[in-house]
Amino acid sequence: MSEAVPPPIHGAAVSATVELLDRERLMTLGCNGPDGWPHVSTVGYMNEGLNLYFVIARSSRKLAMLEADPRASVAIRSESGADGDAVGLSMAGRVVEVTDPVAIARLDLKVAERFPGVHVYAPAGDTVAVLHFTPSRVSAVGVVDGRSVTQTFTLGEPGGAISQIF
C-alpha cells in the first residue's frame, strides 16, 4: 500500500503557518545521528516566511550530523486559547549552511530588529554556523477539545514547481 501524497500548500495554510512562525521563537530540531539514533534539541530561530534560520556552534555534534545528512525535522508548538487548546507545526526539510557574508549581515539586522534584547542570538563570528532550514513538507496540528487534528501539505523541493513561496 503506498502512502497518499499530501496536497500542495495553499495561500491560507501558508498565511496561518507564517503567522505561527512569526509569533514563536523556539523550535525542536531533529536530525539523524551517525549511529542511526535521532538527535533532538531545542534551538532559537528566526523566520522569513517559511524559511527558518538558526545558529549553532561549529564544534557541536548537531552541525557535524547536519553536514553528514542535511535532512531534518522541526516542531513548533504554541498555546492558542484560554481553554488550553494548542496549535503547532511539524516540518520536514533540509538544512544548509549560510556562508554569504552579505546574507549573514542581513540576518543579523533582522534578528536585532525582531529580538532587540537577545544579542547573543545574532549570527556573527567564526565559532558559530548560520543554518537555513527549507521545509518540503508541513504538517499543521491543532488540538481542540482534547483532540488532535492534522493536515499535511507538500512544498516540493526548493526550485520545484509545487510552490512559489520561496
Side-chain angles (χ1 to χ4, degrees), residues 140-162:
V141 181
V143 178
V144 180
D145 296 328
R147 301 195 73 130
S148 293
V149 179
T150 303
Q151 175 67 56
T152 299
F153 301 97
T154 57
L155 281 74
E157 293 300 318
I162 291 179

Side-chain angles (χ1 to χ4, degrees), residues 11-125:
V14 171
S15 297
T17 300
V18 170
E19 184 179 307
L20 185 141
L21 293 173
D22 286 347
R23 208 173 43 239
E24 299 303 320
R25 64 188 235 184
L26 293 175
M27 66 181 184
T28 302
L29 173 71
C31 56
N32 299 305
D35 57 3
W37 284 91
H39 177 78
V40 180
S41 58
T42 301
V43 296
Y45 74 90
M46 186 203 63
N47 68 299
E48 289 182 318
L50 297 176
N51 293 283
L52 305 179
Y53 297 91
F54 58 101
V55 177
I56 58 177
R58 287 209 171 276
S59 60
S60 73
R61 284 184 26 204
K62 187 175 3 304
L63 181 59
M65 288 184 273
L66 289 167
E67 287 174 335
D69 183 349
R71 295 175 299 159
S73 292
V74 167
I76 298 169
R77 182 179 186 275
S78 175
E79 296 293 327
S80 64
D83 298 327
D85 294 341
V87 295
L89 297 170
S90 174
M91 299 190 289
R94 295 189 182 273
V95 174
V96 297
E97 185 174 358
V98 178
T99 57
D100 177 25
V102 173
I104 292 172
R106 181 182 59 77
L107 291 170
D108 274 344
L109 290 174
K110 289 193 75 126
V111 168
E113 289 171 8
R114 184 169 175 192
F115 307 111
V118 185
H119 303 292
V120 297
Y121 181 81

